[in-house]
Amino acid sequence: MKRVWGSVCVVLCLVLVTAACGTSGSAGEAIVIKAGIGLNEDHPQGQALNRFKEIVEEKSGGRIQVRPYFSAQLGDDLKMTEALQAGVQEVTIPSTSPLVGIVPEFGIFDLPFVFDEEEEADAVLDGALGQKILDKLPEHGLVGLTYWENGYRNLTNSRRPVKRAEDFRGLKIRTMQTDVHLDAFKALGSNPTPMPFSEVFTALESGTVDGQENPLATIVSNKFYEVQDYLSLTKHVYTPFVFLVSKSFWDRLSPEDQQLIREAAIEAGKYERELNRKVNAESLEELKKQGIKINEVSPEERERMKQIIQPVIEKYRKKLGEDLVSQLFEEVEKARNR
Ligand code: TK8
């Protein structure tokens, strides 16, 4: 009997040691990065994830392998982020918005009408403020390497053209799971319903909600035009993506491999921002072709929407921290005057 237990112990130890080697990537063993996103492979984010894979595999001579998973195959943004925290997935690139339950400071990027130009967002995200928020991630089991771009969000719905602030009234709109957006859409008189992105198409199709808001590239890639009649170019908020790595995985990497992965995430991110801007511009034509009715929002109406939402900004100035929100507006101002 003793003998049998002895052998069981030996086998168990071997299994444990092998498992440990597999994840720490000891000499000869490939390091495998499972990387999941919520969007499709044809979306700029999907293409840039493929670029990340190419860079990493090339620079590591195949020693580090990236396995990409698209279209929320591994779950929605929040679920994948939790998988990173649990150490069962290595990389995800979610919108910052659903992460406010983990790092509330990400909420500053949910404030509407902050960035007039994408370059202002680049400057803030790649600058001191962007880094300050990334620095809050490790205590939550996450490492944030850089920001990619989701982009300016525009409203679609199945009920009516939204041209004026009043047109939001009574519309049931799916929002991301972030309080700032809930409050902002309520202030405009609509009924916001937060839900994960992976459920949006079905909710639009079944009429559970009337509308949703996302960048044009996503409206095309996810074929929301099939179940939505009106697109309003509201550009009401700019959403960043954040490139996240599981901290337990990160801590097992050598400093050289960490550097390689960080540089690849930044390089693929530059490509993603560029491609995203190009695709968003082209998407308007594609959406016209698909027959969705498109309307602009005049600068005066945008200004009115901004005024209506102002109390929400004031509320979150206190909630998120006066210093943080002031820093945001100061950095935007600096970028604007550059
Ligand atoms: C994709 C999401 C999505 C976001 C949303 O995983 O939830 O509406 O804009 O693109 O990050």
Side-chain angles (χ1 to χ4, degrees):
M1 193 60 187
K2 240 189 188 162
R3 259 246 185 94
V4 175
W5 279 117
S7 334
V8 168
C9 278
V10 169
V11 170
L12 263 181
C13 287
L14 276 176
V15 167
L16 286 176
V17 167
T18 321
C21 288
T23 47
S24 68
S26 69
E29 291 256 8
I31 298 173
V32 176
I33 297 179
K34 243 197 295 168
I37 58 169
L39 295 171
N40 301 327
E41 187 169 4
D42 70 3
H43 186 281
Q45 191 194 29
Q47 296 190 45
L49 178 53
N50 283 336
R51 175 64 64 94
F52 170 75
K53 172 184 163 74
E54 276 165 28
I55 301 169
V56 167
E57 293 182 354
E58 195 200 305
K59 288 205 171 150
S60 70
R63 202 171 38 78
I64 310 178
Q65 301 271 320
V66 179
R67 305 247 156 89
Y69 294 84
F70 307 98
S71 316
Q73 270 174 287
L74 300 182
D76 58 66
D77 284 352
L78 196 53
K79 195 161 166 241
M80 287 190 282
T81 304
E82 285 163 1
L84 261 58
Q85 291 177 304
V88 295
Q89 181 181 329
E90 288 71 37
V91 163
T92 188
I93 317 165
S95 294
T96 50
S97 313
L99 305 187
V100 294
I102 300 171
V103 175
E105 289 84 355
F106 273 130
I108 63 170
F109 301 124
D110 292 328
L111 297 172
F113 303 113
V114 171
F115 301 113
D116 285 344
E117 304 287 341
E118 281 135 348
E119 289 68 25
E120 295 167 11
D122 293 349
V124 171
L125 293 165
D126 300 342
L129 184 56
Q131 187 56 47
K132 192 176 186 173
I133 303 183
L134 294 184
D135 290 344
K136 308 221 176 265
L137 287 161
E139 65 193 87
H140 301 283
L142 301 163
V143 175
L145 297 186
T146 185
Y147 295 92
W148 288 13
E149 172 171 284
N150 190 348
Y152 285 115
R153 308 178 77 84
N154 295 291
L155 182 78
T156 64
N157 85 96
S158 56
R159 302 252 311 258
R160 56 172 172 262
V162 174
K163 294 184 178 163
R164 315 188 60 222
E166 287 72 22
D167 299 329
F168 278 90
R169 285 191 191 149
L171 287 181
K172 260 193 173 175
I173 300 171
R174 175 272 174 174
T175 64
M176 292 188 285
Q177 302 121 296
T178 174
D179 283 351
V180 180
H181 286 188
L182 271 180
D183 283 348
F185 282 102
K186 272 189 205 151
L188 287 162
S190 58
N191 299 326
T193 310
M195 70 176 73
F197 182 73
S198 46
E199 293 167 21
V200 177
F201 188 93
T202 310
L204 295 170
E205 191 177 35
S206 66
T208 309
V209 293
D210 302 315
Q212 68 83 42
E213 37 87 60
N214 253 299
L216 300 181
T218 300
I219 297 171
V220 169
S221 174
N222 281 81
K223 298 192 165 45
F224 289 158
Y225 54 78
E226 287 184 353
V227 286
Q228 297 279 269
D229 300 317
Y230 303 99
L231 164 64
S232 183
L233 302 175
T234 46
K235 273 183 84 177
H236 53 276
V237 70
Y238 174 100
T239 306
F241 285 132
V242 58
F243 195 107
L244 297 180
V245 184
S246 162
K247 186 169 186 297
S248 57
F249 167 73
W250 186 254
D251 290 345
R252 291 196 303 270
L253 294 170
S254 68
E256 295 75 29
D257 285 350
Q258 289 181 346
Q259 183 68 7
L260 189 155
I261 291 169
R262 182 186 297 278
E263 283 171 9
I266 293 171
E267 192 183 328
K270 284 197 186 121
Y271 167 74
E272 194 265 355
R273 281 181 183 169
E274 219 170 277
L275 183 64
N276 197 48
R277 286 164 201 181
K278 187 169 154 264
V279 171
N280 269 299
E282 293 165 358
S283 295
L284 200 57
E285 278 312 306
E286 175 61 22
L287 286 163
K288 268 184 207 155
K289 250 191 256 159
Q290 294 297 339
I292 194 166
K293 294 180 195 68
I294 305 173
N295 68 268
E296 301 268 350
V297 176
S298 70
E300 298 74 45
E301 272 311 308
R302 269 183 108 239
E303 196 47 46
R304 280 189 63 229
M305 291 172 191
K306 211 167 161 177
Q307 289 310 318
I308 294 170
I309 289 170
Q310 196 53 36
V312 177
I313 302 215
E314 290 317 315
K315 172 177 170 185
Y316 284 92
R317 186 182 273 284
K318 296 208 183 69
K319 270 191 122 171
L320 298 167
E322 295 277 354
D323 290 354
L324 200 69
V325 177
S326 304
Q327 187 180 352
L328 171 68
F329 287 113
E330 277 160 29
E331 290 197 9
V332 171
E333 209 41 50
K334 237 192 277 164
R336 214 163 266 172
N337 297 326
R338 252 213 293 238

PDB file of all heavy atoms in Angstrom, residues 37-39 45 77 94-95 150 153 174 176 196-197 213-215 218 239 241, ligand 1:
ATOM      1  N   ILE A  37     -10.568  39.049 -27.667  1.00  0.00           N
ATOM      2  CA  ILE A  37     -11.248  40.348 -27.768  1.00  0.00           C
ATOM      3  C   ILE A  37     -12.733  40.119 -28.072  1.00  0.00           C
ATOM      4  O   ILE A  37     -13.117  39.039 -28.517  1.00  0.00           O
ATOM      5  CB  ILE A  37     -10.621  41.281 -28.839  1.00  0.00           C
ATOM      6  CG1 ILE A  37     -10.644  40.632 -30.227  1.00  0.00           C
ATOM      7  CG2 ILE A  37      -9.217  41.701 -28.446  1.00  0.00           C
ATOM      8  CD1 ILE A  37     -10.285  41.586 -31.366  1.00  0.00           C
ATOM      9  N   GLY A  38     -13.521  41.176 -27.882  1.00  0.00           N
ATOM     10  CA  GLY A  38     -14.969  41.058 -28.097  1.00  0.00           C
ATOM     11  C   GLY A  38     -15.377  41.294 -29.537  1.00  0.00           C
ATOM     12  O   GLY A  38     -16.467  40.906 -29.954  1.00  0.00           O
ATOM     13  N   LEU A  39     -14.520  41.963 -30.316  1.00  0.00           N
ATOM     14  CA  LEU A  39     -14.871  42.324 -31.686  1.00  0.00           C
ATOM     15  C   LEU A  39     -14.399  41.252 -32.675  1.00  0.00           C
ATOM     16  O   LEU A  39     -13.662  40.346 -32.311  1.00  0.00           O
ATOM     17  CB  LEU A  39     -14.284  43.698 -32.021  1.00  0.00           C
ATOM     18  CG  LEU A  39     -14.899  44.832 -31.178  1.00  0.00           C
ATOM     19  CD1 LEU A  39     -14.134  46.135 -31.371  1.00  0.00           C
ATOM     20  CD2 LEU A  39     -16.378  45.025 -31.493  1.00  0.00           C
ATOM     21  N   GLN A  45      -9.371  46.331 -34.607  1.00  0.00           N
ATOM     22  CA  GLN A  45      -8.782  45.747 -33.394  1.00  0.00           C
ATOM     23  C   GLN A  45      -8.375  44.293 -33.627  1.00  0.00           C
ATOM     24  O   GLN A  45      -7.324  43.851 -33.158  1.00  0.00           O
ATOM     25  CB  GLN A  45      -9.776  45.833 -32.218  1.00  0.00           C
ATOM     26  CG  GLN A  45      -9.101  45.496 -30.897  1.00  0.00           C
ATOM     27  CD  GLN A  45     -10.080  45.233 -29.769  1.00  0.00           C
ATOM     28  OE1 GLN A  45     -11.199  44.776 -29.977  1.00  0.00           O
ATOM     29  NE2 GLN A  45      -9.650  45.528 -28.555  1.00  0.00           N
ATOM     30  N   ASP A  77     -15.920  41.598 -22.416  1.00  0.00           N
ATOM     31  CA  ASP A  77     -14.773  42.340 -21.860  1.00  0.00           C
ATOM     32  C   ASP A  77     -14.532  42.036 -20.369  1.00  0.00           C
ATOM     33  O   ASP A  77     -13.405  41.761 -19.951  1.00  0.00           O
ATOM     34  CB  ASP A  77     -14.996  43.856 -22.002  1.00  0.00           C
ATOM     35  CG  ASP A  77     -14.777  44.342 -23.435  1.00  0.00           C
ATOM     36  OD1 ASP A  77     -14.310  43.557 -24.289  1.00  0.00           O
ATOM     37  OD2 ASP A  77     -15.070  45.529 -23.691  1.00  0.00           O
ATOM     38  N   PRO A  94      -9.931  45.234 -23.646  1.00  0.00           N
ATOM     39  CA  PRO A  94     -11.311  45.713 -23.507  1.00  0.00           C
ATOM     40  C   PRO A  94     -11.426  47.229 -23.640  1.00  0.00           C
ATOM     41  O   PRO A  94     -10.430  47.948 -23.555  1.00  0.00           O
ATOM     42  CB  PRO A  94     -11.660  45.302 -22.077  1.00  0.00           C
ATOM     43  CG  PRO A  94     -10.359  45.355 -21.349  1.00  0.00           C
ATOM     44  CD  PRO A  94      -9.317  44.934 -22.349  1.00  0.00           C
ATOM     45  N   SER A  95     -12.656  47.697 -23.837  1.00  0.00           N
ATOM     46  CA  SER A  95     -12.940  49.115 -23.636  1.00  0.00           C
ATOM     47  C   SER A  95     -12.663  49.404 -22.170  1.00  0.00           C
ATOM     48  O   SER A  95     -12.822  48.531 -21.310  1.00  0.00           O
ATOM     49  CB  SER A  95     -14.409  49.405 -23.934  1.00  0.00           C
ATOM     50  OG  SER A  95     -14.681  49.209 -25.299  1.00  0.00           O
ATOM     51  N   ASN A 150     -10.773  52.482 -29.435  1.00  0.00           N
ATOM     52  CA  ASN A 150     -12.110  52.058 -29.850  1.00  0.00           C
ATOM     53  C   ASN A 150     -12.684  53.225 -30.671  1.00  0.00           C
ATOM     54  O   ASN A 150     -13.009  53.058 -31.821  1.00  0.00           O
ATOM     55  CB  ASN A 150     -12.952  51.712 -28.623  1.00  0.00           C
ATOM     56  CG  ASN A 150     -14.274  51.043 -28.992  1.00  0.00           C
ATOM     57  OD1 ASN A 150     -14.662  51.040 -30.152  1.00  0.00           O
ATOM     58  ND2 ASN A 150     -14.982  50.501 -28.016  1.00  0.00           N
ATOM     59  N   ARG A 153     -18.017  57.386 -30.408  1.00  0.00           N
ATOM     60  CA  ARG A 153     -19.257  56.614 -30.446  1.00  0.00           C
ATOM     61  C   ARG A 153     -20.387  57.418 -31.081  1.00  0.00           C
ATOM     62  O   ARG A 153     -20.500  58.618 -30.864  1.00  0.00           O
ATOM     63  CB  ARG A 153     -19.624  56.173 -29.028  1.00  0.00           C
ATOM     64  CG  ARG A 153     -18.486  55.479 -28.323  1.00  0.00           C
ATOM     65  CD  ARG A 153     -18.827  55.097 -26.902  1.00  0.00           C
ATOM     66  NE  ARG A 153     -19.671  53.917 -26.838  1.00  0.00           N
ATOM     67  CZ  ARG A 153     -19.218  52.665 -26.882  1.00  0.00           C
ATOM     68  NH1 ARG A 153     -17.922  52.433 -26.986  1.00  0.00           N
ATOM     69  NH2 ARG A 153     -20.046  51.647 -26.812  1.00  0.00           N
ATOM     70  N   ARG A 174     -29.046  50.728 -25.285  1.00  0.00           N
ATOM     71  CA  ARG A 174     -28.061  49.872 -24.622  1.00  0.00           C
ATOM     72  C   ARG A 174     -26.805  50.709 -24.390  1.00  0.00           C
ATOM     73  O   ARG A 174     -26.333  51.384 -25.290  1.00  0.00           O
ATOM     74  CB  ARG A 174     -27.727  48.666 -25.490  1.00  0.00           C
ATOM     75  CG  ARG A 174     -26.595  47.791 -24.906  1.00  0.00           C
ATOM     76  CD  ARG A 174     -25.214  48.263 -25.338  1.00  0.00           C
ATOM     77  NE  ARG A 174     -24.137  47.527 -24.671  1.00  0.00           N
ATOM     78  CZ  ARG A 174     -22.850  47.670 -24.961  1.00  0.00           C
ATOM     79  NH1 ARG A 174     -22.469  48.526 -25.900  1.00  0.00           N
ATOM     80  NH2 ARG A 174     -21.941  46.998 -24.314  1.00  0.00           N
ATOM     81  N   MET A 176     -22.780  50.726 -22.271  1.00  0.00           N
ATOM     82  CA  MET A 176     -21.779  49.888 -21.611  1.00  0.00           C
ATOM     83  C   MET A 176     -22.062  49.945 -20.107  1.00  0.00           C
ATOM     84  O   MET A 176     -22.794  50.810 -19.628  1.00  0.00           O
ATOM     85  CB  MET A 176     -20.372  50.399 -21.921  1.00  0.00           C
ATOM     86  CG  MET A 176     -20.004  50.203 -23.378  1.00  0.00           C
ATOM     87  SD  MET A 176     -18.267  50.587 -23.710  1.00  0.00           S
ATOM     88  CE  MET A 176     -18.280  52.373 -23.650  1.00  0.00           C
ATOM     89  N   PRO A 196     -23.553  43.620 -21.598  1.00  0.00           N
ATOM     90  CA  PRO A 196     -22.296  43.313 -22.285  1.00  0.00           C
ATOM     91  C   PRO A 196     -22.467  43.406 -23.795  1.00  0.00           C
ATOM     92  O   PRO A 196     -23.564  43.136 -24.312  1.00  0.00           O
ATOM     93  CB  PRO A 196     -21.989  41.870 -21.885  1.00  0.00           C
ATOM     94  CG  PRO A 196     -22.950  41.513 -20.823  1.00  0.00           C
ATOM     95  CD  PRO A 196     -24.076  42.476 -20.846  1.00  0.00           C
ATOM     96  N   PHE A 197     -21.399  43.737 -24.470  1.00  0.00           N
ATOM     97  CA  PHE A 197     -21.438  43.925 -25.922  1.00  0.00           C
ATOM     98  C   PHE A 197     -21.933  42.689 -26.662  1.00  0.00           C
ATOM     99  O   PHE A 197     -22.659  42.787 -27.653  1.00  0.00           O
ATOM    100  CB  PHE A 197     -20.038  44.298 -26.421  1.00  0.00           C
ATOM    101  CG  PHE A 197     -19.987  44.550 -27.891  1.00  0.00           C
ATOM    102  CD1 PHE A 197     -20.529  45.698 -28.433  1.00  0.00           C
ATOM    103  CD2 PHE A 197     -19.426  43.616 -28.747  1.00  0.00           C
ATOM    104  CE1 PHE A 197     -20.500  45.930 -29.801  1.00  0.00           C
ATOM    105  CE2 PHE A 197     -19.386  43.842 -30.116  1.00  0.00           C
ATOM    106  CZ  PHE A 197     -19.922  44.998 -30.640  1.00  0.00           C
ATOM    107  N   GLU A 213     -24.936  52.543 -29.067  1.00  0.00           N
ATOM    108  CA  GLU A 213     -23.972  53.523 -29.561  1.00  0.00           C
ATOM    109  C   GLU A 213     -22.590  52.898 -29.584  1.00  0.00           C
ATOM    110  O   GLU A 213     -22.183  52.227 -28.643  1.00  0.00           O
ATOM    111  CB  GLU A 213     -24.024  54.814 -28.724  1.00  0.00           C
ATOM    112  CG  GLU A 213     -24.248  54.644 -27.241  1.00  0.00           C
ATOM    113  CD  GLU A 213     -22.958  54.425 -26.510  1.00  0.00           C
ATOM    114  OE1 GLU A 213     -22.076  55.295 -26.571  1.00  0.00           O
ATOM    115  OE2 GLU A 213     -22.803  53.368 -25.871  1.00  0.00           O
ATOM    116  N   ASN A 214     -21.907  53.075 -30.711  1.00  0.00           N
ATOM    117  CA  ASN A 214     -20.581  52.509 -30.916  1.00  0.00           C
ATOM    118  C   ASN A 214     -19.916  53.218 -32.085  1.00  0.00           C
ATOM    119  O   ASN A 214     -20.589  53.871 -32.880  1.00  0.00           O
ATOM    120  CB  ASN A 214     -20.693  51.003 -31.218  1.00  0.00           C
ATOM    121  CG  ASN A 214     -20.234  50.146 -30.049  1.00  0.00           C
ATOM    122  OD1 ASN A 214     -19.077  50.203 -29.623  1.00  0.00           O
ATOM    123  ND2 ASN A 214     -21.158  49.367 -29.510  1.00  0.00           N
ATOM    124  N   PRO A 215     -18.618  53.076 -32.223  1.00  0.00           N
ATOM    125  CA  PRO A 215     -17.953  53.649 -33.397  1.00  0.00           C
ATOM    126  C   PRO A 215     -18.453  53.001 -34.701  1.00  0.00           C
ATOM    127  O   PRO A 215     -18.912  51.855 -34.698  1.00  0.00           O
ATOM    128  CB  PRO A 215     -16.480  53.339 -33.157  1.00  0.00           C
ATOM    129  CG  PRO A 215     -16.372  53.231 -31.670  1.00  0.00           C
ATOM    130  CD  PRO A 215     -17.647  52.573 -31.249  1.00  0.00           C
ATOM    131  N   THR A 218     -17.471  49.445 -35.774  1.00  0.00           N
ATOM    132  CA  THR A 218     -18.159  48.360 -35.060  1.00  0.00           C
ATOM    133  C   THR A 218     -19.574  48.168 -35.599  1.00  0.00           C
ATOM    134  O   THR A 218     -20.058  47.049 -35.724  1.00  0.00           O
ATOM    135  CB  THR A 218     -18.210  48.691 -33.550  1.00  0.00           C
ATOM    136  OG1 THR A 218     -16.875  48.824 -33.084  1.00  0.00           O
ATOM    137  CG2 THR A 218     -18.915  47.614 -32.761  1.00  0.00           C
ATOM    138  N   THR A 239     -14.014  56.370 -26.692  1.00  0.00           N
ATOM    139  CA  THR A 239     -13.667  55.262 -25.797  1.00  0.00           C
ATOM    140  C   THR A 239     -12.309  54.653 -26.156  1.00  0.00           C
ATOM    141  O   THR A 239     -12.097  54.259 -27.295  1.00  0.00           O
ATOM    142  CB  THR A 239     -14.739  54.139 -25.870  1.00  0.00           C
ATOM    143  OG1 THR A 239     -16.017  54.694 -25.627  1.00  0.00           O
ATOM    144  CG2 THR A 239     -14.467  53.052 -24.852  1.00  0.00           C
ATOM    145  N   PHE A 241      -9.420  51.603 -25.808  1.00  0.00           N
ATOM    146  CA  PHE A 241      -9.201  50.205 -25.417  1.00  0.00           C
ATOM    147  C   PHE A 241      -7.946  50.202 -24.557  1.00  0.00           C
ATOM    148  O   PHE A 241      -7.032  51.002 -24.797  1.00  0.00           O
ATOM    149  CB  PHE A 241      -8.882  49.337 -26.633  1.00  0.00           C
ATOM    150  CG  PHE A 241     -10.044  49.004 -27.534  1.00  0.00           C
ATOM    151  CD1 PHE A 241      -9.931  49.170 -28.908  1.00  0.00           C
ATOM    152  CD2 PHE A 241     -11.218  48.483 -27.024  1.00  0.00           C
ATOM    153  CE1 PHE A 241     -10.976  48.827 -29.757  1.00  0.00           C
ATOM    154  CE2 PHE A 241     -12.272  48.141 -27.872  1.00  0.00           C
ATOM    155  CZ  PHE A 241     -12.148  48.320 -29.243  1.00  0.00           C
TER     156      PHE A 241
HETATM  157  C1  TK8 B   1     -16.026  44.936 -27.488  1.00  0.00           C
HETATM  158  C2  TK8 B   1     -16.463  46.151 -26.682  1.00  0.00           C
HETATM  159  C3  TK8 B   1     -17.238  47.121 -27.541  1.00  0.00           C
HETATM  160  C4  TK8 B   1     -17.649  48.380 -26.765  1.00  0.00           C
HETATM  161  C5  TK8 B   1     -19.059  48.147 -26.274  1.00  0.00           C
HETATM  162  O1  TK8 B   1     -15.563  43.955 -26.640  1.00  0.00           O
HETATM  163  O2  TK8 B   1     -19.219  47.375 -25.332  1.00  0.00           O
HETATM  164  O3  TK8 B   1     -19.984  48.722 -26.828  1.00  0.00           O
HETATM  165  O4  TK8 B   1     -17.612  49.527 -27.559  1.00  0.00           O
HETATM  166  O5  TK8 B   1     -16.599  47.392 -28.697  1.00  0.00           O
HETATM  167  O6  TK8 B   1     -15.341  46.761 -26.069  1.00  0.00           O
END
